[in-house]
Amino acid sequence: MTKFIFVTGGVVSSLGKGISASSIGKLMQARGLSVAMLKCDPYINVDPGTMNPFQHGEVFVTEDGAETDLDLGHYERFLNQEMHHINNFTAGKVYETVIARERRGDFLGSTVQVIPHITDEIKSRFRAIAKGVDVAIIEIGGTVGDIESLPFLEAARQMGLEHGRDNVLFLHVTLVPYIRASEELKTKPTQHSVGKLREIGISPDILICRTEKAISPELKAKIALFCSVQKESVIEAPDVESIYEVPLVFHKQGLDEQIVMLLRLRTKSRDLENWTELVRRLKSPRHRVKIAMAGKYTDYKDAYKSVNEALLHGGVANDAHVDIRFLDTSDPDIHRKISDVHGILVPGGFGDRGIDGKIRVAQLAREGNIPYFGLCLGLQIAVIEFARNVLKLAGAHSTEFDPRTKYPVIDLLPEQKSVKEMGASMRLGTYECALRKGSLAWKAYGRASVSERHRHRYEVNNKFRKLLEEAGLKASGIHASKDLVEIVELREHPWFLAVQFHPEFKSRIEKPHPLFASFIAAAVERARILEPSPSESSHAS
Ligand code: GLN
């Protein structure tokens, strides 16, 4: 029988509920259990695809083309396991389903209400992901006390009643703030948050307490007493250097032991050896590289979550620490700003802000032999730059940014031109890509064909392909059935490669993405040339 673990959050948002849920998933997996993950988002948007990354962070794309919450990225990266559209849903999606059924006449005669109709739909989605697995971990977005999350919490409460308390566990992630003036950790916000949960009929079994300072055994005992949990069930979650340490921090305090005991699970003995080794490598790298990221949301890191993580994984593959610097592409002094970086990455993006600066950055990378990695928009930028400055097609552009350009090197396919509703209408999800033998991409992947995830509307315009190729920008990856350019690369350059897809979504710490690994290898090489180590430089002289 499947066991359910509900993860809720209290006091404030941004406590890292997603990392906690992923870490618990990892710990269960390390005991040989099969795990399913689910994220419920209490907002009304049907999916986050139409939301601004400023408000919501990155949109994570699954293999089956769902635009989902970025926590699914953490789930995939921690569990090394693919998520699908059923692993994330919003209040909007639940209401959409229930209202469609009402219109069809499924509820004829009854008044359609939050309880039971909305909660039943939520519960059926909880059960759908739990089929055939040992443990289903369900993270409920938002903070306890929000109006929006009430139907989800109510559904979770009912699950406890229906499946029995041995089969359902409630875990609450909360904050224990440190008050500098009195030099004290405070438990009151946690007490209130647990009180709020109890009002709606949920008594948490385990508390994960986010804190800046170590929580003493006395304070743990106090939290346990006031919140009515076992002392062993008060788990401290201090700030750590790397998110990948969190499963180990939890394990040290016996969190997995506590979960298997409360849920009466029979498990194999745990195996965290490989994970421990990866964290060790991550924390004591031999090399250091600086990567400049030319994105739009320079001061909001969540917008590029998967890219940041994939760069870090590329670092692990090369025993290197990756120092990511956000570049403001509108800075007139950009030339100087990138003079000491070891690689430049242009991530995906929409809208025309900062496009000219990105084109300039691509040019500097191409001409200055700096490793360049373009992701989605980053490929389109590389193509525009090459068309303008090498092919001398003045004003070449993407029709996204200049609909009247004389040289539309990036353009919409006919089927995209007729799109009226924006939601879920891009080229989304996995597509096959055949690699050109002998190319940089082919060498990095070590195979002839790959599949990667997409999220974009515009494509390289095939009318210009021959011109681009003849001048040296080679199409080294093609989606054959539609003859679409998926990868371009420069031959006469240490490492210049751009992809129309989003490789960052498939990178995991246990399996760094080959292109990110190859890009960081090129950056390590550049660092070696720019700053030879003392032994090398003395050897040279
Ligand atoms: N705006 C571009 C397009 O829609 C690129 C999208 C992206 O980078 N994800 O094609």
Side-chain angles (χ1 to χ4, degrees), residues 150-376:
L150 278 175
F152 292 94
L153 294 170
E154 169 59 18
R157 182 192 69 81
Q158 293 175 18
M159 292 287 285
L161 210 61
E162 290 163 23
H163 290 249
R165 293 298 278 120
D166 283 355
N167 300 314
V168 177
L169 185 141
F170 295 104
L171 187 148
H172 191 52
V173 184
T174 168
L175 178 72
V176 179
Y178 178 71
I179 306 295
R180 219 164 291 274
S182 59
E183 295 182 0
E184 263 182 311
L185 282 170
K186 289 295 186 189
T187 67
K188 197 71 84 194
T190 294
Q191 294 177 39
H192 280 300
S193 178
V194 169
K196 204 86 208 146
L197 260 182
R198 289 227 207 98
E199 263 172 39
I200 42 186
I202 294 176
S203 261
D205 304 290
I206 294 181
L207 297 175
I208 294 197
C209 303
R210 294 283 287 113
T211 172
E212 288 175 58
K213 299 260 179 215
I215 304 179
S216 65
E218 295 74 40
L219 209 65
K220 276 192 176 179
K222 178 175 171 189
I223 294 171
L225 178 66
F226 280 76
C227 298
S228 190
V229 298
Q230 302 290 330
K231 266 208 309 288
E232 299 72 29
S233 295
V234 179
I235 306 291
E236 163 185 317
D239 297 335
V240 280
E241 211 178 300
S242 158
I243 52 171
Y244 298 106
E245 281 176 66
V246 177
L248 304 178
V249 171
F250 285 174
H251 168 65
K252 245 189 229 142
Q253 297 176 69
L255 175 60
D256 45 333
E257 203 58 58
Q258 203 60 15
I259 292 174
V260 300
M261 192 197 71
L262 289 168
L263 286 174
R264 299 181 199 281
L265 274 161
R266 281 174 188 279
T267 74
K268 292 196 197 129
S269 62
R270 74 195 78 77
D271 177 8
L272 280 168
E273 221 170 281
N274 185 39
W275 195 264
T276 309
E277 170 57 19
L278 286 170
V279 171
R280 194 198 58 74
R281 283 217 330 247
L282 188 69
K283 288 176 75 177
S284 50
R286 198 141 56 96
H287 312 285
R288 291 190 92 80
V289 291
K290 276 180 269 188
I291 301 296
M293 175 122 120
K296 177 156 87 172
Y297 303 103
T298 44
D299 40 12
Y300 184 56
K301 290 195 185 134
D302 266 4
Y304 304 109
K305 195 95 220 160
S306 295
V307 180
N308 295 337
E309 293 303 315
L311 282 169
L312 197 131
H313 304 159
V316 172
N318 288 284
D319 205 356
H321 172 81
V322 181
D323 183 6
I324 304 169
R325 282 202 201 164
F326 284 87
L327 258 191
D328 175 5
T329 46
S330 59
D331 187 342
D333 208 19
I334 199 121
H335 191 279
R336 207 176 49 77
K337 293 264 163 65
I338 59 168
S339 60
D340 66 337
V341 301
H342 307 120
I344 293 178
L345 186 145
V346 178
F350 297 84
D352 56 8
R353 214 180 76 208
I355 292 293
D356 288 336
K358 286 183 190 144
I359 295 173
R360 174 97 184 106
V361 166
Q363 182 180 8
L364 291 169
R366 181 175 57 78
E367 293 176 350
N369 284 330
I370 307 173
Y372 175 93
F373 194 10
L375 309 179
C376 207

Side-chain angles (χ1 to χ4, degrees), residues 348-350 375-377 380 400 455-458 502:
F350 297 84
L375 309 179
C376 207
L377 178 66
Q380 301 174 357
E400 180 179 7
R455 181 174 185 255
H456 57 99
R457 283 180 216 288
Y458 292 79
H502 288 277

